[in-house]
Amino acid sequence: MGAAVGKPAFGLAVAPRTAAHAEERLAAAEHALLQWARSPGADAGVWDADASRTNRALLAAVDDVLLLAEEDPFPLLLLPGAASPRRRLEDAVAAAASRMLEEFLRVRVWDASPLRAAGDRLALASSGASLLVFPSAGNRTSAASSGTGGEVDASDGGSRSRASSGVPDEVAALLESEVWDDLDLVRPAGVFVLHEIALRMVRAGCTKELSRAFANAPCDVLDRFLSILRVECSQRTTESVIKRWTTVTRIIGKAIVAMRRQLHAQSPGPFDSFREEYLQAITENRVQILLDFADGFTTVTSHEKLVYMLGMYEALTDTAPGMLLLFTGARKELVSERTHGILNKLAGAIRVMLGGVKARIQGGGECPRAPSGGVHPLARDALACVELLARHRATLDLILSDAAGERGATPGSLAALVTELIASLERNLQGIACADAGAGGSRHLFLANNVGFILSRAADAGGGDMASLLGDAWAARRRGRLARHVASYAEASWGPVVAVLETARGARPAKILAEFNAAFSRARDSEACREVPDPALRVALRKAVSEMVVPAYCAFLQKHPRLGTSVRYTAADVAESLSELFEGSESDSGKSL
């Protein structure tokens, strides 16, 4: 192990001893040290895992060997053979240093017990609510049945826009910075042992060997969460593993900062000169594991996983600066270069996914048809997608701007992309209306339903982030368009009913009234089962129909007061009947537009 015999680290001035006496001391120490070397692990060591001293005799042997080396009692010319006392002393120093390294790898410096509850919940929690974008038929079914139990969901923006209700409470707490100040992650007794070991490794002249051992040092605080990834990877879906990676990465990023702060706050001692190198070594290994996982997902390009990949990108972006502050020199350069490389690959995958979303909306004819002229599934999926993307606006603006100007690239900002996506959606809905709903009131009702749905989700109540992307002018144009569809529906579906009352002169009023009653019943029976999910739009449509039909009917009755028993409906009856329109019907739910 390269012990520097005869060069005391602290300049101890020890009076020369006789070689014979020194050999007796060496023999006693050898017995304790080399006995351990023949069967390592047979003894309990100097300290146990909790840093309690359990073998004082072994530690005394280590100290005596190091003291002998500092006293240098065996001249170079004395007994130069292989079994000379000097050679035996060198071997004993090597054995003492090896013993200290074993102790170093055994002692527990970090205390994961404050994190045990969160780790257990994270390992046992279900995948949570699905955030798949335009899921396939199979994934729609699995998404509908998910969401039971505790959810693990820090993938929708993390600290920027995380819906913490989707994360177990113990895990959600760790995603906040303040809680880490109250968690005791360092075992003071373990730090004391590090000082004891460092003192002896310096005296043995084996500091390089100690430094090399840092990479293999245990760290229960970080390893508890990394073990979740290792176990889960082969047992979960891609999105589930990504969600757990995102949560684990955010927690580990905060843990590393807290660990460094708490280690620096411990009582000073010989290990202080190794402290930064030690922290860098144990952290680098764990960070590289996280990066290995992330790198493995950079080839995922299915648009269904878009939100999860955004969560991964944001977790790494948010966590990297704090972790990189811990590193210096070559380590910092290595970790930084690899982190940025993975971020670039993730950004490329996300841009491919956005292209997939765009193609999916533009080719939306694959979607099932909407029942009774209601909201089309393509509109629901597209708006759900845009709402999810809006939560990641800052990230997507950065990713899109980096590729702006490239041939075939998506627009250079999320606002431009969303505007293009909704424009494509609206063109598709127009085509669907013409193909499926045909002409007349059905087409206008379908478009009113879908324009109203887009408007309510994107700009009106609950629009939030989406409203800021699209702007007031966009919303104003859609409100005008919606009003025209409402008026056109009333004219197309109920104008012919009112027109019966305006039959050419000469027709008998009773006959006109009978024809009106028949036309009104047909229209009412046909339109009552039409689906208008939005209550506000339902009210607007009823009002438009009522304002067209009821005044015309009242005027007809007033003009012909002698109709008597021929009057089947009063004006109030007509108004009440119209107030029941657009409630939908279970029996009609399977019909096309």
Side-chain angles (χ1 to χ4, degrees):
M1 196 164 286
V5 178
K7 296 181 180 179
F10 304 112
L12 297 177
V14 180
R17 306 288 183 93
T18 65
H21 180 64
E23 281 197 64
E24 290 177 4
R25 290 168 54 198
L26 176 59
E30 280 180 318
H31 179 75
L33 288 171
L34 300 182
Q35 186 72 20
W36 162 79
R38 296 189 191 98
S39 54
D43 63 301
V46 178
W47 297 277
D48 60 17
D50 293 324
S52 298
R53 186 176 298 179
T54 60
N55 195 331
R56 295 180 180 275
L58 182 56
L59 184 61
V62 169
D63 288 340
D64 207 24
V65 164
L66 297 178
L67 183 58
L68 278 171
E70 290 164 354
E71 292 174 354
D72 194 16
F74 306 118
L76 285 171
L77 298 178
L78 181 62
L79 300 176
S84 68
R86 187 174 188 84
R87 176 61 60 84
R88 288 168 49 209
L89 179 57
E90 290 175 352
D91 292 343
V93 169
S98 181
R99 174 74 260 181
M100 289 297 98
L101 290 179
E102 289 288 331
E103 299 293 335
F104 171 79
L105 295 174
R106 177 157 47 181
V107 69
R108 295 292 184 237
V109 178
W110 305 102
D111 186 1
S113 61
L115 308 174
R116 184 173 296 118
D120 292 346
R121 286 298 304 276
L122 183 58
L124 297 174
S126 71
S127 296
S130 173
L131 295 175
L132 294 176
V133 174
F134 285 106
S136 61
N139 282 328
R140 284 180 191 275
T141 302
S142 62
S145 62
S146 67
T148 58
E151 297 176 358
V152 180
D153 188 5
S155 60
D156 63 338
S159 59
R160 306 176 194 195
S161 58
R162 178 179 56 81
S164 59
S165 60
V167 183
D169 291 342
E170 297 87 346
V171 179
L174 295 182
L175 295 173
E176 309 299 335
S177 299
E178 295 76 11
V179 70
W180 292 93
D181 291 332
D182 299 325
L183 300 178
D184 295 325
L185 304 179
V186 178
R187 300 174 185 264
V191 176
F192 170 79
V193 172
L194 292 185
H195 290 316
E196 294 284 294
I197 292 171
L199 172 66
R200 289 162 175 84
M201 293 300 286
V202 169
R203 293 176 64 188
C206 296
T207 55
K208 290 182 180 180
E209 287 81 354
L210 177 60
S211 296
R212 282 197 292 267
F214 291 162
N216 298 318
C219 183
D220 295 345
V221 169
L222 304 183
D223 292 342
R224 175 65 186 96
F225 293 98
L226 287 174
S227 66
I228 294 172
L229 290 181
R230 294 190 183 99
V231 172
E232 297 292 330
C233 189
S234 61
Q235 302 177 4
R236 301 271 183 172
T237 61
T238 297
E239 56 269 21
S240 178
V241 175
I242 292 176
K243 287 168 76 171
R244 277 170 169 73
W245 181 94
T246 299
T247 303
V248 166
T249 297
R250 291 187 179 280
I251 291 174
I252 285 181
K254 295 180 182 300
I256 287 171
V257 174
M259 287 164 54
R260 183 175 188 271
R261 184 172 60 248
Q262 293 185 25
L263 185 60
H264 276 264
Q266 299 301 306
S267 300
F271 191 73
D272 290 354
S273 60
F274 299 96
R275 190 167 50 197
E276 289 302 319
E277 187 178 359
Y278 164 74
L279 284 169
Q280 290 185 51
I282 63 171
T283 302
E284 182 185 13
N285 280 359
R286 278 75 182 182
V287 170
Q288 291 291 1
I289 291 172
L290 290 176
L291 294 179
D292 286 342
F293 267 91
D295 199 19
F297 289 104
T298 56
T299 57
V300 175
T301 55
S302 168
H303 61 263
E304 293 187 356
K305 312 294 192 297
L306 175 56
V307 174
Y308 300 106
M309 295 292 280
L310 281 167
M312 175 173 276
Y313 182 94
E314 288 177 348
L316 189 53
T317 301
D318 292 345
T319 305
M323 292 194 296
L324 288 174
L325 285 175
L326 183 66
F327 298 110
T328 58
R331 276 198 177 100
K332 184 169 188 175
E333 184 176 348
L334 175 65
V335 174
S336 176
E337 183 176 326
R338 186 158 190 231
T339 300
H340 285 99
I342 291 173
L343 285 173
N344 287 335
K345 288 197 283 187
L346 287 172
I350 288 169
R351 285 191 287 268
V352 172
M353 292 176 176
L354 290 171
V357 168
K358 184 177 175 181
R360 184 69 181 80
I361 292 177
Q362 290 174 339
E366 302 172 7
C367 287
R369 305 166 85 183
S372 306
V375 178
H376 199 276
L378 176 62
R380 294 188 185 278
D381 285 345
L383 268 293
C385 169
V386 172
E387 285 175 344
L388 290 172
L389 296 183
R391 303 178 192 177
H392 304 267
R393 181 175 185 175
T395 299
L396 285 169
D397 281 343
L398 176 63
I399 291 173
L400 292 171
S401 64
D402 285 346
E406 295 180 7
R407 187 175 181 179
T410 50
S413 70
L414 181 59
L417 175 62
V418 167
T419 300
E420 184 176 321
L421 292 177
I422 291 184
S424 296
L425 170 64
E426 290 172 331
R427 285 193 297 271
N428 247 323
L429 292 173
Q430 285 282 356
I432 293 169
C434 293
D436 289 351
S442 294
R443 185 172 75 89
H444 288 295
L445 181 62
F446 171 75
L447 290 173
N449 261 323
N450 285 276
V451 171
F453 174 77
I454 294 171
L455 186 60
S456 66
R457 294 284 289 268
D460 292 338
D465 295 332
M466 287 179 62
S468 66
L469 286 170
L470 296 166
D472 294 337
W474 180 92
R477 289 193 297 272
R478 268 63 186 180
R479 291 190 185 99
R481 189 179 298 174
L482 177 61
R484 290 192 294 274
H485 285 306
V486 169
S488 296
Y489 162 78
E491 180 63 36
S493 295
W494 296 90
V497 177
V498 174
V500 172
L501 299 175
E502 300 170 355
T503 303
R505 294 179 183 180
R508 290 185 302 113
K511 182 179 179 182
I512 294 174
L513 181 61
E515 292 178 355
F516 170 81
N517 289 341
F520 180 83
S521 295
R522 287 194 300 271
R524 181 201 59 199
D525 292 344
S526 171
E527 301 304 305
C529 62
R530 297 288 189 185
E531 180 182 350
V532 180
D534 182 4
L537 178 58
R538 198 156 56 234
V539 168
L541 284 163
R542 288 169 177 169
K543 181 180 179 183
V545 173
S546 184
E547 288 177 348
M548 173 175 285
V549 175
V550 174
Y553 186 61
C554 286
F556 179 82
L557 294 181
Q558 289 172 2
K559 186 177 180 180
H560 304 284
R562 298 181 180 180
L563 287 171
T565 58
S566 298
V567 178
R568 181 177 175 184
Y569 302 112
T570 66
D573 292 335
V574 171
E576 182 179 356
S577 181
L578 294 176
S579 70
E580 298 172 353
L581 294 175
F582 316 121
E583 293 292 347
S585 171
E586 291 183 4
S587 62
D588 192 60
S589 62
K591 297 180 182 179
S592 62
L593 293 172

